[in-house]
């Protein structure tokens, strides 16, 4: 038997349990089966897929997998003494959270690609893993094939990270790129993303910023050594952006991106938020288009590091899962798995998002008549918000409406919001359509 102090130790081979055999699970299973010789060379012991949990055992699958490996009962996998590492790729948190807890308690090392699980239960699962002397790894949960967790945990560990800025949702980046380049409306861009398989049939968690907030919570926890609750992250999605915003942004020298931002403040609190931003067109992040992801990390010793690549998809995600798997398996073959203790983590406060001070882009629809602009200027001046530049365009001579785009100088977020409320009351202001923060 392979058990010592609650931990399962392999003698002749390392057994893998797989929870889920969908897009990611199928690629993981096929790599484990088809690349077993290469994996054995890298690890020093054979790696064997020993059990797979699915929802529907009768489902027709393109992957040719022995039927006797499949089960719908997770206890068959968790109680199998020959399984040393569990890979969770079911998704969601109901089944996944219970199964991962049970596995950790049973002394099984766990790897997951599930950002929602890590963002919501990461601290608890880390503690459970430490208490049971096993590893809990999740490279694939953020950034698909881009090695973000390992880079932050290991390669950049000596630097004090000051800022992290990331395009970490490929679906929204694709939609924004199409709206900018091909002048598509939001609804057409999302339909195109769904037709190409870049967006789910229900894309809510992408377009409302939740998916990026899950990932930012995970990255911030590692980069700033501080667990943060994803619910506390300020988030705004991309649904209010219109094709005209991309035209004006381009004219002003900016791209529009959904950015996940975490910045260490002078008082050591963390300013963490997800929302669309205007980015100077010449900056590297502004040039990241389509489904690609990029993460820019700034720190005292490193200056600035940019990681860039495929943020989703079966193969890049499998690469990240297998990198975690090989790391644990190598340690297991030496009976020396590194257990990361999170006892020394400091809890940082989150900086209040209504106190951030940035420049703003405001697009309004106004009556094209004398005096309206001066009323707008007065409202902004009451909160000492000064205007840096203005674009005014007639929409059509017949309706006597104009579109006005104002770029402000720096202003405090809550004062800007109060001004917007007042602007909506000004006679002649028909709509305050879009407000976008400038990320400098
Ligand atoms: N897709 C990507 O590009 C990507 C990238 C990075 C991370 N991820 C993450 O990877 C995870 C899996 O994503 P996916 O795209 O592979 O999902 P998926 O294609 O929907 O596959 C889910 C798998 O879980 C099984 N399953 C679902 N509910 C179950 C239940 N109650 N009991 C047992 N098995 C159940 C399904 O079984 P059946 O086959 O029998 O239906 C299926 O095999 C998610 O957390 C996702 O966020 C995905």
């Amino acid at each position: 038997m392979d058990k010592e102090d609650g931990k399962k130790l392999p003698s002749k081979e390392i057994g893998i349990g797989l929870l889920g055999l969908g897009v990611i699970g199928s690629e993981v299973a096929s790599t484990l089966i088809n690349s077993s010789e290469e994996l054995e060379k890298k690890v020093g012991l054979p790696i064997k897929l020993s059990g797979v949990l699915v929802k529907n055992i009768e489902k027709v699958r393109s992957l040719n997998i022995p039927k006797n490996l499949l089960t719908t009962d997770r206890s068959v996998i968790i109680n199998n003494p020959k399984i040393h590492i569990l890979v969770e790729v079911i998704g969601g948190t109901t089944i996944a959270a219970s199964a991962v807890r049970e596995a950790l308690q049973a002394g099984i090392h766990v790897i997951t690609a599930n950002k929602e699980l890590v963002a919501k239960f990461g601290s608890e699962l880390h503690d459970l893993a430490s208490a049971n002397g096993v590893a809990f790894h999740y490279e694939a949960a953020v950034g698909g094939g881009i090695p973000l967790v390992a880079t932050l945990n290991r390669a950049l560990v000596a630097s004090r990270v000051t800022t992290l800025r990331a395009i970490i949702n490929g679906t929204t980046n694709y939609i924004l790129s199409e709206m900018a380049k091909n002048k598509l409306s939001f609804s057409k861009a999302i339909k195109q993303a769904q037709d190409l398989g870049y967006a789910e049939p229900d894309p809510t968690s992408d377009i409302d910023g939740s998916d990026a907030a899950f990932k930012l919570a995970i990255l911030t926890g590692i980069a700033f050594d501080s667990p943060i609750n994803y619910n506390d992250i300020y988030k705004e999605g991309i649904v209010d952006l219109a094709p005209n915003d991309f035209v004006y942004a381009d004219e002003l020298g900016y791209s529009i991106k959904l950015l996940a931002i975490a910045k260490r403040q002078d008082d050591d609190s963390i300013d963490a938020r997800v929302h669309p931003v205007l980015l100077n067109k010449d900056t590297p992040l502004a040039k990241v288009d389509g489904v690609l992801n990029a993460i820019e990390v700034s720190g005292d010793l490193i200056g600035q590091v940019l990681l860039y690549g495929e943020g989703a998809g079966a193969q890049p995600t499998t690469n990240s899962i297998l990198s975690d798997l090989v790391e644990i398996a190598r340690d297991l073959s030496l009976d020396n798995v590194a257990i990361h203790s999170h006892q020394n983590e400091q809890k940082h406060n989150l900086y209040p998002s209504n106190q951030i001070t940035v420049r703003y882009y405001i697009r309004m629809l106004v009556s094209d008549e004398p005096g309206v602009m001066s009323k707008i200027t007065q409202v902004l001046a009451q909160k000492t918000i000064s205007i840096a530049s203005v674009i005014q365009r007639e929409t059509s001579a017949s309706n006597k409406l104009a579109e006005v785009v104002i770029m402000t100088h720096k202003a405090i977020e809550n004062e800007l919001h109060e001004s917007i409320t007042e602007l909506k009351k000004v006679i002649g202001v028909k709509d305050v359509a879009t407000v976008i923060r400038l990320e400098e």
Side-chain angles (χ1 to χ4, degrees):
M1 160 52 195
D2 295 313
K3 225 165 180 190
E4 188 180 281
D5 295 340
K7 271 188 288 179
K8 292 186 178 184
L9 299 175
S11 44
K12 297 198 190 82
E13 64 187 16
I14 295 173
I16 309 296
L18 185 60
L19 305 187
L21 195 60
V23 176
I24 306 300
S26 298
E27 190 68 30
V28 171
S30 105
T31 311
L32 287 174
I33 294 166
N34 298 328
S35 306
S36 60
E37 278 180 32
E38 287 91 329
L39 288 169
E40 182 174 345
K41 277 189 209 142
K42 286 180 207 283
V43 169
L45 280 177
I47 307 277
K48 188 177 171 204
L49 182 60
S50 306
V52 183
L53 180 77
V54 292
K55 190 172 185 181
N56 176 6
I57 222 155
E58 302 307 329
K59 193 171 180 176
V60 178
R61 300 178 192 273
S62 53
L63 181 71
N64 188 13
I65 191 160
K67 260 252 162 100
N68 65 347
L69 284 184
L70 304 186
T71 177
T72 53
D73 176 1
R74 66 176 185 263
S75 69
V76 170
I77 293 180
I78 290 164
N79 295 330
N80 179 346
K82 293 195 171 147
I83 287 182
H84 308 92
I85 303 174
L86 186 91
V87 177
E88 184 280 306
V89 280
I90 292 179
T93 54
T94 323
I95 307 285
S98 307
V100 167
R101 281 191 199 105
E102 289 164 16
L104 294 171
Q105 280 159 346
I108 300 175
H109 306 276
V110 171
I111 296 164
T112 180
N114 187 338
K115 65 225 147 201
E116 190 179 351
L117 178 75
V118 183
K120 289 184 176 168
F121 301 105
S123 286
E124 177 210 324
L125 297 173
H126 266 303
D127 289 347
L128 200 54
S130 299
N132 288 282
V134 288
F136 175 59
H137 286 200
Y138 44 87
E139 182 63 76
V142 199
I146 314 173
L148 298 179
V149 176
T151 303
L152 288 169
N153 259 336
R154 218 165 301 140
L156 303 183
V157 74
S159 242
R160 186 172 193 267
V161 174
T162 49
T163 305
L164 198 146
R165 304 192 307 170
I167 293 172
I168 38 176
N169 182 278
T171 307
T172 47
N173 203 46
Y174 176 82
I175 292 168
L176 298 182
S177 302
E178 288 300 302
M179 290 178 80
K181 284 194 178 154
N182 297 324
K183 317 233 172 317
L184 297 190
S185 65
F186 177 74
S187 53
K188 281 205 172 127
I190 199 153
K191 169 84 174 56
Q192 189 168 301
Q194 285 169 325
D195 290 347
L196 290 167
Y198 297 150
E200 301 280 336
D202 175 5
T204 310
S205 78
D206 293 317
I207 60 177
D208 75 359
S210 306
D211 177 89
F214 286 143
K215 293 167 177 171
L216 184 65
I218 299 171
L219 290 178
T220 305
I222 305 169
F224 298 94
D225 238 344
S226 168
I228 65 168
N229 186 335
Y230 87 100
N231 274 322
D232 296 338
I233 294 178
Y234 175 82
K235 69 175 195 309
E236 222 174 78
I238 61 167
V239 288
D240 292 333
L241 299 172
N244 274 2
D245 292 316
F246 294 84
V247 174
Y248 292 122
D250 185 62
E251 199 172 319
L252 291 160
Y254 301 110
S255 293
I256 302 178
K257 296 287 177 195
L258 181 74
L259 214 59
I261 303 168
K263 294 182 180 176
R264 196 190 289 273
Q265 300 297 296
D266 291 341
D267 63 0
D268 230 22
S269 63
I270 309 292
D271 165 24
R273 45 202 160 89
V274 171
H275 53 72
V277 297
L278 294 183
L279 272 179
N280 187 312
K281 272 195 268 187
D282 295 331
T283 54
L285 283 175
K287 295 176 184 160
V288 176
D289 280 332
V291 288
L292 290 168
N293 283 197
I295 291 84
E296 182 192 87
V297 186
S298 306
D300 56 356
L301 303 178
I302 46 166
Q304 210 165 67
V305 169
L306 185 75
L307 295 132
Y308 171 82
E310 291 187 40
Q315 291 183 338
T317 306
T318 295
N319 178 72
S320 288
I321 290 172
L322 287 197
S323 77
D324 280 345
L325 192 147
V326 167
E327 184 186 332
I328 298 173
R330 275 180 176 155
D331 290 350
L332 269 175
S333 72
L334 303 170
D335 185 15
N336 182 30
V337 178
I339 310 301
H340 299 287
S341 164
H342 291 257
Q343 304 296 321
N344 297 329
E345 275 178 341
Q346 259 182 284
K347 187 108 177 100
H348 293 272
N349 290 325
L350 277 184
Y351 188 76
S353 57
N354 65 1
Q355 291 302 307
I356 62 165
T357 306
V358 294
R359 294 182 60 195
Y360 294 87
Y361 159 109
I362 307 166
R363 180 169 61 85
M364 288 178 274
L365 198 62
V366 303
S367 302
D368 197 2
E369 56 194 46
V372 178
M373 252 334 277
S374 88
K375 283 188 221 155
I376 291 171
T377 313
Q378 277 169 26
V379 168
L380 292 173
Q382 277 162 15
K383 294 284 174 192
T384 58
I385 298 170
S386 59
I387 295 174
S389 64
V390 178
I391 300 174
Q392 180 161 356
R393 294 276 148 75
E394 190 178 57
T395 57
S396 85
S398 59
N399 65 12
K400 288 199 146 203
L401 289 177
E403 205 158 39
V404 171
V405 169
I406 291 176
M407 288 299 303
T408 73
H409 286 294
K410 279 191 174 177
I412 300 173
E413 177 99 357
N414 65 354
E415 301 206 331
L416 190 279
H417 282 304
E418 284 169 18
S419 296
I420 299 290
T421 306
E422 291 308 311
L423 282 176
K424 287 178 178 169
K425 295 179 192 160
V426 170
I427 294 167
V429 173
K430 303 294 176 200
D431 187 22
V432 181
T434 322
V435 177
I436 310 176
R437 299 164 190 84
L438 174 66
E439 177 63 20
E440 292 182 278

